[in-house]
Amino acid sequence: MPDLSSLQRSTRRLDGLVAVVTGAAFGPKAALGAVFAAALSAEGASVVVADIVDAEPVAEALREKGGRAVAVTVDVTEEAAVEAMAATAETAFGRLDILVNNAVVGSNIPPVPLAELDVAAWDQVMAVGLRGSFLCAKAAAPRMARNGWGKIVNIGSTTMQEGLPNRLHYVSMKGGVLALTRALARELGPQGIRVNTLATGLIANPAAGAAFTAKPELITKIRAARAIPEDVTPDDLGGPLVFLCSHESDAITGQFIVADKGAHFT
């Protein structure tokens, strides 16, 4: 028998690829975007860490671990700013292969019934989550097309399947994100670009807000509804994200991939 312990992968799954992750400024224990950036970097991708606030601490942490990363401050609702973000990927690393549309507002807002939901709040959630995803895809797609290959992963939510009440703007936005995913998959497929939605339910991290401290009975109910009755943590999502960004998933596009330990079956 050969000594299999001496065998190592010669390359990481994303070696040579360049990724942009939006909504990635906060530390790995607070925000999915930082976890996504770290997961992509660990597999060899060069990463543009983007957010509307300073993302340099996350980029610096990736560099300290041997990764290649730059930070970009960007408002994803502004077309010129998004175009500059995509251009930064090419300037810093020579290309753009992967886009993770993670920027969002509304996931941790208090419940608001329809009668109390104002237009400004609706517009803000739609602008960041849906308009932002559209603008980022618009900026990234031609750069990916020049290479004949690319991956766009939009971050979704199972609240869209549930029709969760009192979060009409957030649920509607996430439904729009899935529709955008499927339309982009059809349009961009001939250019070698795959587009998918990665979705989860409630995540056990500070970004989930007060749910994990104020309503323990709700959390117990959520755990019990899962086929694997455990919390879903940010670290649970890094692996599925890397898979969707790698060549291993090249046969998958236009899909709604749920990683929530079996609360929802699609």
Side-chain angles (χ1 to χ4, degrees):
M1 288 286 292
D3 181 8
L4 298 181
S5 65
S6 65
L7 299 179
Q8 298 180 349
R9 283 187 298 171
S10 59
T11 61
R12 293 170 293 181
R13 287 183 284 176
L14 304 178
D15 273 342
L17 301 180
V18 177
V20 170
V21 183
T22 66
F26 302 108
K29 298 303 180 184
L32 274 179
V35 171
F36 291 153
L40 297 177
S41 180
E43 285 293 339
S46 300
V47 183
V48 175
V49 184
D51 209 305
I52 197 168
V53 297
D54 183 19
E56 179 56 32
V58 175
E60 182 178 3
L62 299 183
R63 293 193 297 267
E64 288 175 351
K65 293 183 178 180
R68 302 176 71 207
V70 297
V72 173
T73 301
V74 61
D75 181 346
V76 297
T77 71
E78 297 293 335
E79 186 169 13
V82 169
E83 175 63 25
M85 175 188 70
T88 295
E90 291 186 312
T91 300
F93 304 122
R95 56 190 292 138
L96 175 54
D97 306 284
I98 296 164
L99 168 65
V100 181
N101 275 320
N102 176 67
V104 68
V105 295
S107 60
N108 61 345
I109 58 176
V112 181
L114 173 61
E116 299 173 17
L117 179 58
D118 61 63
V119 173
W122 172 278
D123 287 348
Q124 183 187 26
V125 170
M126 290 293 175
V128 176
L130 190 53
R131 174 188 168 104
S133 295
F134 151 67
L135 288 176
C136 290
K138 184 179 180 182
R143 292 170 164 88
M144 295 176 179
R146 286 199 289 269
N147 301 324
W149 184 89
K151 295 295 183 82
I152 298 174
V153 180
N154 298 319
I155 303 306
S157 172
T158 56
T159 59
M160 183 209 69
Q161 295 173 285
E162 300 170 16
L164 192 67
N166 299 323
R167 287 182 173 84
L168 182 64
H169 44 354
Y170 181 75
V171 174
S172 299
M173 178 270 291
K174 287 301 186 182
V177 166
L178 178 57
L180 177 69
T181 292
R182 290 176 170 166
L184 286 174
R186 289 288 186 190
E187 182 168 337
L188 300 180
Q191 301 169 52
I193 301 170
R194 284 77 168 172
V195 189
N196 291 289
T197 292
L198 174 62
T200 186
L202 187 64
I203 300 170
N205 72 327
F212 277 85
T213 57
K215 298 181 179 180
E217 71 284 355
L218 173 61
I219 305 309
T220 299
K221 181 179 179 180
I222 290 172
R223 289 193 195 109
R226 292 171 172 150
I228 303 170
E230 301 172 353
D231 290 336
V232 176
T233 70
D235 289 338
D236 290 323
L237 294 227
L241 188 276
V242 168
F243 170 70
L244 289 175
C245 292
S246 74
H247 284 288
E248 295 171 358
S249 60
D250 278 357
I252 300 174
T253 194
Q255 301 305 309
F256 184 72
I257 308 297
V258 177
D260 69 352
K261 297 193 174 179
H264 301 84
F265 296 155
T266 60

